PDB file of all heavy atoms in Angstrom:
ATOM      1  N   ALA A 397     209.918 217.340  53.759  1.00 44.00           N
ATOM      2  CA  ALA A 397     208.617 217.418  54.435  1.00 44.00           C
ATOM      3  C   ALA A 397     207.538 216.871  53.530  1.00 44.00           C
ATOM      4  O   ALA A 397     207.578 217.049  52.315  1.00 44.00           O
ATOM      5  CB  ALA A 397     208.307 218.874  54.798  1.00 44.00           C
ATOM      6  N   LEU A 405     191.056 214.011  45.321  1.00 53.00           N
ATOM      7  CA  LEU A 405     191.363 214.185  43.907  1.00 53.00           C
ATOM      8  C   LEU A 405     191.516 215.645  43.520  1.00 53.00           C
ATOM      9  O   LEU A 405     191.363 216.014  42.375  1.00 53.00           O
ATOM     10  CB  LEU A 405     190.286 213.515  43.034  1.00 53.00           C
ATOM     11  CG  LEU A 405     190.195 211.995  43.167  1.00 53.00           C
ATOM     12  CD1 LEU A 405     189.226 211.452  42.146  1.00 53.00           C
ATOM     13  CD2 LEU A 405     191.552 211.341  42.984  1.00 53.00           C
ATOM     14  N   GLU A 490     193.031 198.209  77.872  1.00 89.00           N
ATOM     15  CA  GLU A 490     192.732 196.954  78.555  1.00 89.00           C
ATOM     16  C   GLU A 490     191.246 196.642  78.381  1.00 89.00           C
ATOM     17  O   GLU A 490     190.509 197.401  77.754  1.00 89.00           O
ATOM     18  CB  GLU A 490     193.093 197.071  80.044  1.00 89.00           C
ATOM     19  CG  GLU A 490     194.565 197.371  80.294  1.00 89.00           C
ATOM     20  CD  GLU A 490     194.870 197.574  81.768  1.00 89.00           C
ATOM     21  OE1 GLU A 490     193.932 197.422  82.592  1.00 89.00           O
ATOM     22  OE2 GLU A 490     196.032 197.878  82.102  1.00 89.00           O
ATOM     23  N   ILE A 498     198.745 212.349  75.390  1.00 95.00           N
ATOM     24  CA  ILE A 498     199.204 213.120  74.230  1.00 95.00           C
ATOM     25  C   ILE A 498     200.126 214.232  74.713  1.00 95.00           C
ATOM     26  O   ILE A 498     199.757 215.039  75.574  1.00 95.00           O
ATOM     27  CB  ILE A 498     198.020 213.727  73.448  1.00 95.00           C
ATOM     28  CG1 ILE A 498     197.149 212.618  72.860  1.00 95.00           C
ATOM     29  CG2 ILE A 498     198.534 214.636  72.345  1.00 95.00           C
ATOM     30  CD1 ILE A 498     195.978 213.132  72.040  1.00 95.00           C
ATOM     31  N   TRP A 542     178.775 198.135  72.726  1.00 91.00           N
ATOM     32  CA  TRP A 542     179.292 198.315  74.077  1.00 91.00           C
ATOM     33  C   TRP A 542     179.282 196.997  74.861  1.00 91.00           C
ATOM     34  O   TRP A 542     180.074 196.812  75.785  1.00 91.00           O
ATOM     35  CB  TRP A 542     178.490 199.367  74.837  1.00 91.00           C
ATOM     36  CG  TRP A 542     179.001 200.748  74.584  1.00 91.00           C
ATOM     37  CD1 TRP A 542     178.481 201.687  73.753  1.00 91.00           C
ATOM     38  CD2 TRP A 542     180.164 201.337  75.165  1.00 91.00           C
ATOM     39  NE1 TRP A 542     179.250 202.825  73.772  1.00 91.00           N
ATOM     40  CE2 TRP A 542     180.290 202.647  74.638  1.00 91.00           C
ATOM     41  CE3 TRP A 542     181.114 200.911  76.090  1.00 91.00           C
ATOM     42  CZ2 TRP A 542     181.313 203.516  74.986  1.00 91.00           C
ATOM     43  CZ3 TRP A 542     182.145 201.768  76.440  1.00 91.00           C
ATOM     44  CH2 TRP A 542     182.249 203.054  75.899  1.00 91.00           C
ATOM     45  N   ALA A 554     188.198 207.342  74.575  1.00 94.00           N
ATOM     46  CA  ALA A 554     189.380 207.949  75.183  1.00 94.00           C
ATOM     47  C   ALA A 554     190.184 208.742  74.156  1.00 94.00           C
ATOM     48  O   ALA A 554     190.659 209.851  74.436  1.00 94.00           O
ATOM     49  CB  ALA A 554     190.249 206.871  75.830  1.00 94.00           C
ATOM     50  N   PRO A 610     175.152 190.858  45.765  1.00 36.00           N
ATOM     51  CA  PRO A 610     174.524 191.233  44.505  1.00 36.00           C
ATOM     52  C   PRO A 610     173.738 192.520  44.656  1.00 36.00           C
ATOM     53  O   PRO A 610     173.272 192.863  45.736  1.00 36.00           O
ATOM     54  CB  PRO A 610     173.594 190.039  44.217  1.00 36.00           C
ATOM     55  CG  PRO A 610     173.330 189.428  45.562  1.00 36.00           C
ATOM     56  CD  PRO A 610     174.598 189.633  46.351  1.00 36.00           C
ATOM     57  N   ALA A 683     162.642 224.829  52.374  1.00 77.00           N
ATOM     58  CA  ALA A 683     162.014 225.600  51.305  1.00 77.00           C
ATOM     59  C   ALA A 683     160.851 224.843  50.665  1.00 77.00           C
ATOM     60  O   ALA A 683     159.851 225.446  50.250  1.00 77.00           O
ATOM     61  CB  ALA A 683     163.059 225.947  50.242  1.00 77.00           C
ATOM     62  N   HIS A 691     151.634 227.748  48.223  1.00 84.00           N
ATOM     63  CA  HIS A 691     150.703 227.305  47.175  1.00 84.00           C
ATOM     64  C   HIS A 691     149.268 227.303  47.700  1.00 84.00           C
ATOM     65  O   HIS A 691     148.343 227.741  47.004  1.00 84.00           O
ATOM     66  CB  HIS A 691     151.093 225.908  46.697  1.00 84.00           C
ATOM     67  CG  HIS A 691     150.115 225.322  45.721  1.00 84.00           C
ATOM     68  ND1 HIS A 691     150.049 225.717  44.406  1.00 84.00           N
ATOM     69  CD2 HIS A 691     149.144 224.379  45.885  1.00 84.00           C
ATOM     70  CE1 HIS A 691     149.086 225.044  43.790  1.00 84.00           C
ATOM     71  NE2 HIS A 691     148.535 224.217  44.664  1.00 84.00           N
ATOM     72  N   THR A 761     164.468 233.054  35.755  1.00 85.00           N
ATOM     73  CA  THR A 761     163.255 233.669  35.233  1.00 85.00           C
ATOM     74  C   THR A 761     162.093 232.699  35.341  1.00 85.00           C
ATOM     75  O   THR A 761     162.277 231.485  35.524  1.00 85.00           O
ATOM     76  CB  THR A 761     163.447 234.071  33.762  1.00 85.00           C
ATOM     77  OG1 THR A 761     163.659 232.875  32.973  1.00 85.00           O
ATOM     78  CG2 THR A 761     164.654 234.998  33.603  1.00 85.00           C
ATOM     79  N   PHE A 768     161.775 223.871  33.721  1.00 85.00           N
ATOM     80  CA  PHE A 768     162.337 222.832  34.577  1.00 85.00           C
ATOM     81  C   PHE A 768     161.228 222.052  35.283  1.00 85.00           C
ATOM     82  O   PHE A 768     161.330 220.833  35.457  1.00 85.00           O
ATOM     83  CB  PHE A 768     163.271 223.472  35.609  1.00 85.00           C
ATOM     84  CG  PHE A 768     164.278 222.516  36.185  1.00 85.00           C
ATOM     85  CD1 PHE A 768     165.328 222.036  35.420  1.00 85.00           C
ATOM     86  CD2 PHE A 768     164.185 222.082  37.495  1.00 85.00           C
ATOM     87  CE1 PHE A 768     166.262 221.166  35.948  1.00 85.00           C
ATOM     88  CE2 PHE A 768     165.101 221.208  38.031  1.00 85.00           C
ATOM     89  CZ  PHE A 768     166.149 220.750  37.253  1.00 85.00           C
TER      90      PHE A 768
END
Side-chain angles (χ1 to χ4, degrees):
L405 295 187
E490 300 176 3
I498 296 182
W542 274 101
H691 174 76
T761 64
F768 202 71

